[in-house]
Amino acid sequence: MTSETHRNPTARAANSPTPEQIHRAPKVLLHDHLDGGLRPATIVDLARETGYTQLPETDPGKLGVWFREAADSGSLERYLETFSHTVGVMQTRDALVRVAAECAEDLAADGVVYAEIRYAPEQHLEAGLTLEEVVEAVNEGFREGERRAQASGHRIRVGALLTAMRHAARALEIAELANRYRDLGVVGFDIAGAEAGYPPTRHLDAFEYLKRENNHFTIHAGEAFGLPSIWQALQWCGADRLGHGVRIIDDIEVKDDGSVTLGRLAAYVRDKRVPLELCPSSNLQTGAASSYADHPIGLLRKLQFRATVNTDNRLMSGTSMSREFEHLVDAFGYTLDDMQWFSVNAMKSAFIPFDERLAMINDVIKPGYATLKSEWLFR
Ligand SMILES: O=c1[nH]cnc2c1ncn2[C@H]1C[C@H](O)[C@@H](CO)O1
Ligand SMILES: [Zn+2]
C-alpha cells in the first residue's frame, strides 16, 4: 500500500469536534501501561523517597521531555529501555498505590469512563514485595483514584490486566495470579515486551491455562513484528484481543482503483470481530507507522475492523486519550459519530461481564455523545 493512497487531504470536517468536545466525550481505554503513564513530578518525588538515583533529570518538566525524546527512537527495543526508570521507582507499596490512584484520576479528568490498565507484577519485586502485595497495592490505588475522581465530578471504572514479560519465563505464574484475583479488580492477562525473537507461543502453557479457566487475555502482537505474530496470537494462543495488531495492514491489498482485498488472516480478524487495540502515537515512536495521516487506523476504520483507540504509554508519548483523538480528527476528519464508534467498539471488547458492558454503552457512552451532538442546536 502506498502511503499516499489513504491520506485524507481534507482532514478536519465541518462537523469535527473541537478539542473541548473531544475532552468531554466519554472515552474507553483498553491499552494503557501503568508504568508508562506516571506524572513526571511523581517520578521525581518517588525517586527521592525511595532512594532511586538513576533518573536522567530531576526537574519534572525536563524529565517529561526526556521520556518523550528517549522513547522517540524508531525501535521498540530502545523505546522499552525508558521503562527502567518508571519501574525503578515503583517498587514499594506506597509508590504503587500512589501511581495507580493518580492514573485513575488523570484518566477520569480526561473524560475516560472505563479503562483497563496493564502492568507486569514480576517487575515490582525488587524491594521485597510479593506478587500478591503488588496486585493488592495497585488495586487499592485504582479504588482510591476512582473515589477521588468521583469527588471531583468525574466517573471512571478501572480494571487491571496482569502482564507477563515475553522474554521472561513467569507467564504461567502470572496467569494463575490473574485468575486468583479475578473479580477482585483484575479483569484479564497480557504479554508484553520485545516482540521479535519472543513469539507468543513461548507462553502457550499460560494461555491454555487461562482458556481452561474461561478467563480473558490480550496479546501484544503485530507491533514490531508482522503477520506471523498475529497469526500465532490468534490461532495458537487464542487471544481475545490484539495489543496493537496494526501490522494486519500487511495482509490488506488496496489497488489503484481503490478496491480492497483482504488476505485470509485479515479476513479472519475482521469476520470474527477481533478487537485491535490501536495506539497511534506509540506506533509513530517505535517506527510502526510514519505519520498520523498514514496510520493504518484510517483504512481499518473504513473497512470496519473492530478498531479501538488507545494511549499505550501516556508519559513516553506525551499523550492522553483526548490527544490521540485530536490527532485522528486532524488526520482523518473524524466526527463525534466516529469517536462514538471507536468508543462503543472498545466497550464491546472490554473484559468485564456483558451486562455491564451493555449498560456502559447504553447508559453512559451513547447519552454522552447524544448530549455533545445536540449542542449545535443551542449554540
Ligand atoms: O507497546 C509496547 N509493546 C511491548 N511492550 C510494551 C509496550 N509498552 C510497554 N511495554 C512493556 C514495558 C512495560 O514495563 C511492560 C509492562 O507494562 O510492558
Ligand atoms: Zn503496549
Side-chain angles (χ1 to χ4, degrees), residues 275-288:
L276 303 174
E277 302 164 359
L278 300 169
C279 310
S281 292
S282 169
N283 291 161
L284 261 53
Q285 289 183 294
T286 62

Side-chain angles (χ1 to χ4, degrees), residues 17 22 25 27 325 335-344 369:
I22 293 173
K27 294 171 286 291
F325 276 112
T335 63
L336 284 168
D337 285 329
D338 294 295
M339 276 192 78
Q340 175 172 330
W341 183 83
F342 282 115
S343 306
V344 168
Y369 282 92

Side-chain angles (χ1 to χ4, degrees), residues 33 35 76 80 83 119-120 123 165 192-193 220 223 244 312-313:
H33 294 256
D35 51 329
L76 177 59
L80 293 176
F83 287 79
Y119 64 98
Q123 298 192 126
M165 298 309 291
H220 275 78
E223 176 188 19
H244 295 279
D312 208 9
N313 298 294

Side-chain angles (χ1 to χ4, degrees), residues 18-332:
T18 62
E20 192 268 332
Q21 287 176 311
I22 293 173
H23 183 259
R24 278 194 292 136
K27 294 171 286 291
V28 177
L29 174 53
L30 299 179
H31 190 131
D32 184 274
H33 294 256
L34 184 66
D35 51 329
L38 287 76
R39 300 175 186 169
T42 298
I43 302 175
V44 173
D45 280 355
L46 292 177
R48 197 174 43 240
E49 286 167 20
T50 63
Y52 181 82
T53 56
Q54 311 294 311
L55 287 188
E57 297 283 352
T58 51
D59 170 76
K62 287 185 185 157
L63 186 61
V65 172
W66 182 88
F67 272 104
R68 289 197 293 282
E69 289 181 353
D72 219 1
S73 59
S75 118
L76 177 59
E77 284 73 11
R78 268 182 294 162
Y79 174 91
L80 293 176
E81 285 169 15
T82 61
F83 287 79
S84 64
H85 300 299
T86 53
V87 169
V89 300
M90 293 168 69
Q91 297 298 331
T92 64
R93 205 193 91 82
D94 288 353
L96 289 168
V97 174
R98 174 170 174 182
V99 169
E102 291 178 352
C103 168
E105 254 187 316
D106 291 351
L107 295 177
D110 187 41
V112 175
V113 292
Y114 177 83
E116 293 182 359
I117 305 297
R118 63 191 73 195
Y119 64 98
E122 69 200 64
Q123 298 192 126
H124 303 278
L125 309 177
E126 282 166 23
L129 292 178
T130 63
L131 290 171
E132 287 77 7
E133 285 168 339
V134 171
V135 174
E136 285 168 25
V138 172
N139 283 348
E140 190 181 318
F142 285 151
R143 300 296 81 75
E144 170 63 21
E146 287 169 343
R147 276 193 297 274
R148 283 189 217 157
Q150 182 135 27
S152 61
H154 304 290
R155 286 188 309 179
I156 186 168
R157 198 171 146 182
V158 180
L161 298 177
L162 301 191
T163 293
M165 298 309 291
R166 53 205 308 158
H167 60 268
R170 298 185 82 154
L172 180 57
E173 195 183 352
I174 302 302
E176 287 169 349
L177 189 69
N179 207 46
R180 218 171 317 136
Y181 281 90
R182 195 172 178 184
D183 304 323
L184 298 170
V186 174
V187 299
F189 174 81
D190 163 55
I191 59 166
E195 191 174 0
Y198 299 102
T201 42
R202 283 185 87 222
H203 307 290
L204 211 46
D205 53 351
F207 302 124
E208 286 178 347
Y209 163 79
L210 289 167
K211 278 193 275 182
R212 285 197 301 276
E213 294 294 332
N214 306 302
N215 211 330
H216 310 287
F217 57 93
T218 176
I219 295 181
H220 275 78
E223 176 188 19
F225 201 69
L227 298 175
S229 181
I230 294 178
W231 177 71
Q232 279 198 10
L234 293 176
Q235 313 304 14
W236 285 79
C237 306
D240 297 294
R241 305 195 306 233
L242 294 172
H244 295 279
V246 62
R247 296 283 301 273
I248 196 64
I249 202 76
D250 297 349
D251 202 32
I252 303 176
E253 191 193 353
V254 183
K255 302 234 170 61
D256 287 343
D257 66 359
S259 63
V260 176
T261 311
L262 304 191
R264 293 259 192 245
L265 183 59
Y268 180 93
V269 167
R270 188 171 72 160
D271 291 345
K272 297 286 253 187
R273 316 305 299 139
V274 176
L276 303 174
E277 302 164 359
L278 300 169
C279 310
S281 292
S282 169
N283 291 161
L284 261 53
Q285 289 183 294
T286 62
S290 54
S291 71
Y292 291 102
D294 290 328
H295 194 282
I297 194 167
L299 180 62
L300 295 168
R301 192 264 174 273
K302 268 193 209 140
L303 297 176
Q304 299 202 44
F305 278 73
R306 168 97 42 109
T308 69
V309 175
N310 300 274
T311 47
D312 208 9
N313 298 294
R314 285 168 289 122
L315 170 68
M316 286 73 181
S317 297
T319 197
S320 63
M321 277 299 270
S322 292
R323 280 197 65 73
E324 291 302 301
F325 276 112
E326 282 172 30
H327 289 303
L328 297 176
V329 165
D330 287 344
F332 300 109

